[in-house]
Amino acid sequence: MKKLMILCTLLWTTFSLSAQDTATVKKVQYPKGFSEQLNVVYTKVNGWEGKLDLYLPPTGGAASPLVINIHGGGWNKGTKESQGGFSPFFKKGYAVANIEYRLTAAATAPAAIEDTRCALIYLISHAKTLNIDVSKIVIMGASAGGHLALMGGLMENDHLFDGNCKGIENIKVAAIIDKYGITDVWDWGYGKLKTSKSATSWLGAKAEDTDFAKSVSPLYQVKKSSPPVFIVHGDADPIVPYEQSVALKAKLDEMGVKNEFITVKGGLHGKFPAEEHAMVNAKIMEFLKGLGL
């Protein structure tokens, strides 16, 4: 009886751990005719392999628009496998690239930006093989992923963070979708509204270097040539202050960059009511449609 109890305990523990593991993995559902390429290596840095998952429309037609998705988690946690909700893009014939990047424990700033840029460069350089339209690339992320989407797109042909992936010019995305992303890293770490340990940890040895913090902050990368930006943020966000998106909106307007800013009244950090989520998704697709995407 004692052995049986031990066996049952072990089986239950294994089941529980398996349930916890699978709970964080979202199997991406895509339409019939689409194909998947999982864990494609887009870069290698000091033994670390950067991987992305690709979901591609049926071959044989015109080159597809592409959305690059970047997970959040304060640069210190999160996985590409936790991501989903790509159905609106699949319905419009988009290919999807869901990427991972080095987290703070593996490498501090600007590593995550470097990886984002490498993923973008990889996809541009392999566009012909993947049947991707390089003039219709959208980069999207939430929270820290929103920050990385902004940096990946706003850097354009500034190769400051492209040292690991050289050789591609004319890097241009058609649009950026920023969901409650960090726009001023220094302010997130030391500001009056928030003092985030995630920010100072990610800055690492440069945690007191204001110039470096600016160099990795989207707010300071906006210029007249910047791609159109869609912003959504809840005005009750307790993690990333709503004011960060307000400041980005003001900068985009100052530079004459096309943008749309959606405020979710009472919205927390991505925890929006179902009807608000549906509204945001519809607004995103309308924004892209207006850009010819």
Side-chain angles (χ1 to χ4, degrees):
M1 177 62 75
K2 185 176 181 180
K3 289 183 178 179
L4 181 60
M5 291 178 67
I6 292 173
L7 179 60
C8 289
T9 300
L10 287 172
L11 287 171
W12 174 250
T13 300
T14 301
F15 173 79
S16 298
L17 289 173
S18 297
Q20 290 171 13
D21 290 341
T22 56
T24 61
V25 176
K26 294 182 179 179
K27 174 62 178 173
V28 173
Q29 303 295 322
Y30 45 84
K32 184 177 180 181
F34 273 63
S35 61
E36 65 179 21
Q37 295 180 24
L38 304 182
N39 295 311
V40 176
V41 177
Y42 67 83
T43 189
K44 294 182 180 181
V45 186
N46 299 326
W48 177 85
E49 292 186 336
K51 298 177 181 179
L52 57 82
D53 295 337
L54 280 168
Y55 303 94
L56 302 170
T59 57
S64 304
L66 168 72
V67 61
I68 302 170
N69 182 70
I70 312 170
H71 72 80
W75 308 291
N76 57 47
K77 60 184 177 181
T79 64
K80 60 182 171 60
E81 288 79 12
S82 69
Q83 303 294 282
F86 304 127
S87 181
F89 292 98
F90 291 144
K91 289 178 179 177
K92 295 295 184 181
Y94 275 79
V96 172
N98 189 22
I99 77 169
E100 65 182 22
Y101 52 89
R102 282 172 292 170
L103 302 178
T104 299
T108 55
I113 300 171
E114 293 171 344
D115 299 339
T116 298
R117 291 284 293 183
C118 278
L120 174 59
I121 290 168
Y122 174 91
L123 291 162
I124 291 173
S125 62
H126 289 77
K128 188 173 182 180
T129 303
L130 298 171
N131 200 32
I132 290 168
D133 187 339
V134 295
S135 70
K136 295 183 178 181
I137 295 177
V138 178
I139 189 166
M140 171 177 76
S143 193
H147 162 270
L148 294 174
L150 287 164
M151 288 299 297
L154 292 174
M155 293 299 290
E156 297 184 90
N157 285 313
D158 182 342
H159 299 298
L160 178 63
F161 301 121
D162 297 347
N164 295 328
C165 306
K166 298 178 180 178
I168 297 293
E169 295 297 331
N170 195 27
I171 300 172
K172 181 79 173 179
V173 302
I176 302 170
I177 300 172
D178 163 35
K179 301 177 181 178
Y180 39 93
I182 300 100
T183 67
D184 187 332
V185 177
W186 183 268
D187 183 72
W188 200 42
Y190 301 101
K192 295 179 181 179
L193 297 170
K194 187 74 180 177
T195 54
S196 170
K197 290 183 179 179
S198 291
T200 51
S201 294
W202 184 61
L203 289 172
K206 300 289 186 72
E208 297 183 4
D209 187 333
T210 56
D211 289 335
F212 177 76
K214 285 184 177 181
S215 76
V216 297
S217 295
L219 188 63
Y220 302 98
Q221 315 312 319
V222 178
K223 43 196 174 294
K224 291 182 179 180
S225 64
S226 293
V229 181
F230 180 95
I231 309 166
V232 60
H233 210 136
D235 63 6
D237 191 328
I239 306 298
V240 178
Y242 172 73
E243 287 76 8
Q244 292 242 335
S245 287
V246 172
L248 177 61
K249 162 69 172 172
K251 189 68 173 181
L252 292 166
D253 287 345
E254 177 189 338
M255 292 294 174
V257 178
K258 184 178 179 62
N259 69 88
E260 183 172 351
F261 183 17
I262 300 297
T263 297
V264 178
K265 296 294 185 182
L268 302 178
H269 193 60
K271 296 180 180 179
F272 306 152
E275 62 273 16
E276 297 289 354
H277 269 297
M279 177 274 292
V280 169
N281 285 335
K283 289 290 187 182
I284 288 171
M285 301 316 293
E286 287 175 14
F287 182 73
L288 296 178
K289 183 179 180 180
L291 297 173
L293 302 172

